[in-house]
């Protein structure tokens, strides 16, 4: 069994399905007396399609002195109690995983797609993080409360993008009418996102677009081509707000000495930074790798290689590292990142929510006994790092499998790539645009003087079985 196949766990045990079915009978209205009632507020969910579930929704209100930002996360803990069959199974699975052909959820359908799907009509139990900001976007107060929410709008990424990019209003009149009731809130979210991005950039934060690579399949489901598209602006907008909220929750946890799991990332490797500096014309220095990466990304916007630079930065930042202590986050330029948005698909998010919920129910965080949750956090952190390493390898295998199929189906053609560096064996490492890393063997590389300021064309010698053993040779003009 391959690493990719082994992450799919199959059917849920009977006890888990029975608990999920019983959860349907829990009354939301019975909990209104002890929760904040946000059902009449302008709260929005953002999703890929009308059927895509989400466990997170957002609200934003202008105040006299600034803004009040709300992050509303489905209260999964209310259904998956600690130590229950649901919790045990979620802990075993650790995360939801989806590929082109298969999907394996962390929790059963009733939880993910119904009870904790904030995009689905109906009143939902939630944990609401309310962040009050002044006009300079400084945090004035953070409150965490149990709540009941009922979204007033479901925003589809592609529709929001069409509205914002349309030059002729009449061409999107139906969409304009659909989103008219909350157009002002969406505009405010974009404005806030731009301001947060600018403020983060002042601290050396990375402003780098994500480019999605989609492989094109024919009628026989064989990969024949690929398309690279920039990330929708609506996703980038929401991610910026989430960066800010994730750091705010990290500060909240540190201030109140709450047990927590922080999500850190290391910097781009030095040899990759040197290559990217040469490619876009940034002087390489021994300064902070995070600041240098940010400079490269900014300069690359004015070059024809922006998509490659963004890919290279994203692909070479090591996987997430979870810790009970905060660590530098060079990837996004924030300090105390806490992931808490997706408790239905990541066990770490569920564990963090459990502590936040315990703090709420204690009446005051001073009444919370941190030691009670410390072991849970320690264990979950160890499991999270194990899962992150495993999933990182699995997703790389998925992507590599698609890229290798593309090469095999187009064998004999020419492939564009960026020769990045020469290793100790005399081989030249090349990043192919199809998403694969390949090597020019030493016998071909000896007489090959590659240029560091532009892509080159290559032909395939042999297609490998993993992401590093495909061999190529340059096409000499």
């Amino acid at each position: 069994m391959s690493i990719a196949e082994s992450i799919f766990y199959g059917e849920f045990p009977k006890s888990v399905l029975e608990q999920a079915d019983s959860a349907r009978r829990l009354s939301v209205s019975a909990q209104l007396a002890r929760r904040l009632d946000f059902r009449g507020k302008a709260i929005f969910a953002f999703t890929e399609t009308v059927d895509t579930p989400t466990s997170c929704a957002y609200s934003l209100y202008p105040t006299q002195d600034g803004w009040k930002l709300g992050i509303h996360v489905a209260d999964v803990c209310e259904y998956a109690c600690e130590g229950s069959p649901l919790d045990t199974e979620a802990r075993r699975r650790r995360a939801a995983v989806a590929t082109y052909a298969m999907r394996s959820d962390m929790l059963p359908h009733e939880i993910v797609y119904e009870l904790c799907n904030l995009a689905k009509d109906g009143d939902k139990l939630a944990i609401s993080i309310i962040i009050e900001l002044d006009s300079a976007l400084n945090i004035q107060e953070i409150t965490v409360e149990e709540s009941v929410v009922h979204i007033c709008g479901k925003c589809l990424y592609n529709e929001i993008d069409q509205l914002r990019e349309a030059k002729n209003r009449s061409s999107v009149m139906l969409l304009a009418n659909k989103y008219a009731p909350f157009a002002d809130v969406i505009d405010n979210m974009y404005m806030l996102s731009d301001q947060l991005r600018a403020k983060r950039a002042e601290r050396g934060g990375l402003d780098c677009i994500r480019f999605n690579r989609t492989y094109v399949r024919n009628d026989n489901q064989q990969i024949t081509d690929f398309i690279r598209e920039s990330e929708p602006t609506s996703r980038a907008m929401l991610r910026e707000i989430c960066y800010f909220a994730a750091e705010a929750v990290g500060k909240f946890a540190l201030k109140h000495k709450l047990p927590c799991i922080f999500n850190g990332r290391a910097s781009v490797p030095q040899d990759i930074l040197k290559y990217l500096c040469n490619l876009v014309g940034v002087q390489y220095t021994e300064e902070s790798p995070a600041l240098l990466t940010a400079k490269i990304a900014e300069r690359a916007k004015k070059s024809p290689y922006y998509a490659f630079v963004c890919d290279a930065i994203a692909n070479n930042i090591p996987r997430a590292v979870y810790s009970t202590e905060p660590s530098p986050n060079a990837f996004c330029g924030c300090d105390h990142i806490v992931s808490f948005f997706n408790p239905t698909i990541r066990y770490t998010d569920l564990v963090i929510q459990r502590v936040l919920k315990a703090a709420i129910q204690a009446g005051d965080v001073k009444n919370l006994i941190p030691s009670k949750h410390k072991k849970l956090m320690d264990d979950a952190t160890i499991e999270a790092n194990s899962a992150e390493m495993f999933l990182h390898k699995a997703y790389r295998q998925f992507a590599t499998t698609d890229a290798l199929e593309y090469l095999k189906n187009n064998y004999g053609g020419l492939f564009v790539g960026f020769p990045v560096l020469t290793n100790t064996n005399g081989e030249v490492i090349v990043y192919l645009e199809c998403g694969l890393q390949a090597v020019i063997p030493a016998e071909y590389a000896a007489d090959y003087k590659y240029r560091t300021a532009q892509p080159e064309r290559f032909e395939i010698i042999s297609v490998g079985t993993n992401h590093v053993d495909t061999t190529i040779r340059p096409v000499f003009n």
Side-chain angles (χ1 to χ4, degrees), residues 155-174:
C155 304
L156 303 187
Y157 290 116
N158 65 325
E159 292 184 347
I160 297 297
D161 291 328
Q162 287 180 53
L163 273 175
R164 296 193 68 82
E165 295 169 7
K167 295 181 180 178
N168 184 353
R169 189 73 170 178
S170 62
S171 66
V172 290
M173 188 59 67
L174 289 178

Side-chain angles (χ1 to χ4, degrees), residues 20-230:
D21 186 60
S22 298
R24 289 176 169 179
R25 294 190 285 274
L26 293 176
S27 172
V28 173
S29 59
Q31 297 201 35
L32 275 171
R34 68 177 184 85
R35 289 175 176 260
L36 290 180
D37 188 353
F38 284 146
R39 292 178 298 171
K41 301 294 185 180
I43 297 176
F44 307 89
F46 289 78
T47 62
E48 195 73 43
T49 70
V50 292
D51 299 319
T52 305
T54 179
S55 55
C56 191
Y58 308 84
S59 62
L60 180 65
Y61 294 94
T63 63
Q64 185 176 356
D65 300 319
W67 298 96
K68 182 176 287 188
L69 171 66
I71 313 294
H72 311 273
V73 183
D75 190 349
V76 183
C77 295
E78 193 68 32
Y79 307 105
C81 303
E82 185 177 350
S84 68
L86 272 174
D87 178 57
T88 301
E89 184 66 10
R91 182 166 182 160
R92 182 178 79 87
R93 296 183 177 223
R94 300 180 291 192
V97 185
T99 69
Y100 160 74
M102 297 178 286
R103 180 182 177 90
S104 183
D105 284 311
M106 188 180 79
L107 293 165
H109 186 280
E110 292 87 344
I111 304 296
V112 178
Y113 291 85
E114 296 181 25
L115 298 173
C116 296
N117 179 10
L118 299 190
K120 190 177 180 66
D121 288 340
D123 298 345
K124 307 293 181 184
L125 301 179
I127 301 295
S128 294
I129 315 292
I130 308 300
I131 306 170
E132 296 186 33
L133 308 169
D134 63 18
S135 57
L137 304 186
N138 299 308
I139 297 175
Q140 300 300 298
E141 186 177 3
I142 302 176
T143 57
V144 183
E145 299 285 354
E146 291 179 296
S147 62
V148 177
V149 301
H150 189 136
I151 68 163
C152 67
K154 183 191 301 183
C155 304
L156 303 187
Y157 290 116
N158 65 325
E159 292 184 347
I160 297 297
D161 291 328
Q162 287 180 53
L163 273 175
R164 296 193 68 82
E165 295 169 7
K167 295 181 180 178
N168 184 353
R169 189 73 170 178
S170 62
S171 66
V172 290
M173 188 59 67
L174 289 178
L175 286 181
N177 292 336
K178 176 181 176 180
Y179 289 100
F182 35 92
D184 288 345
V185 179
I186 294 175
D187 288 343
N188 285 339
M189 290 184 73
Y190 272 92
M191 182 174 64
L192 178 64
S193 172
D194 290 342
Q195 293 174 349
L196 290 172
R197 184 182 296 109
K199 188 170 183 178
R200 188 167 59 82
E202 292 175 0
R203 299 161 49 196
L206 181 62
D207 183 12
C208 193
I209 292 176
R210 296 184 180 183
F211 286 82
N212 302 314
R213 184 181 289 102
T214 302
Y215 292 95
V216 179
R217 300 174 184 271
N218 61 20
D219 293 340
N220 297 320
Q221 297 304 306
Q222 296 174 322
I223 295 175
T224 58
D225 202 352
F226 70 91
I227 300 172
R228 293 179 67 177
E229 299 175 309
S230 61

Side-chain angles (χ1 to χ4, degrees), residues 390-442:
F390 186 75
L391 294 174
H392 178 77
K393 291 180 180 178
Y395 276 122
R396 170 172 279 185
Q397 181 173 322
F398 293 140
T400 298
T401 299
D402 288 343
L404 289 174
E405 182 181 338
Y406 165 75
L407 291 183
K408 290 176 182 177
N409 291 340
N410 292 274
Y411 199 89
L414 298 181
F415 302 88
V416 175
F418 289 79
V420 176
L421 55 92
T422 302
N423 64 22
T424 55
N425 297 323
E427 302 168 324
V428 176
I429 308 300
V430 177
Y431 287 172
L432 296 177
E433 281 200 328
C434 65
L436 201 68
Q437 182 176 310
V439 298
I440 304 174

Side-chain angles (χ1 to χ4, degrees), residues 301-321:
K301 292 178 182 178
K302 300 177 182 179
S303 81
Y305 313 123
Y306 188 40
F308 167 72
V309 170
C310 291
D311 269 358
I313 290 173
N315 292 338
N316 283 283
I317 291 175
R319 60 184 175 77
V321 178

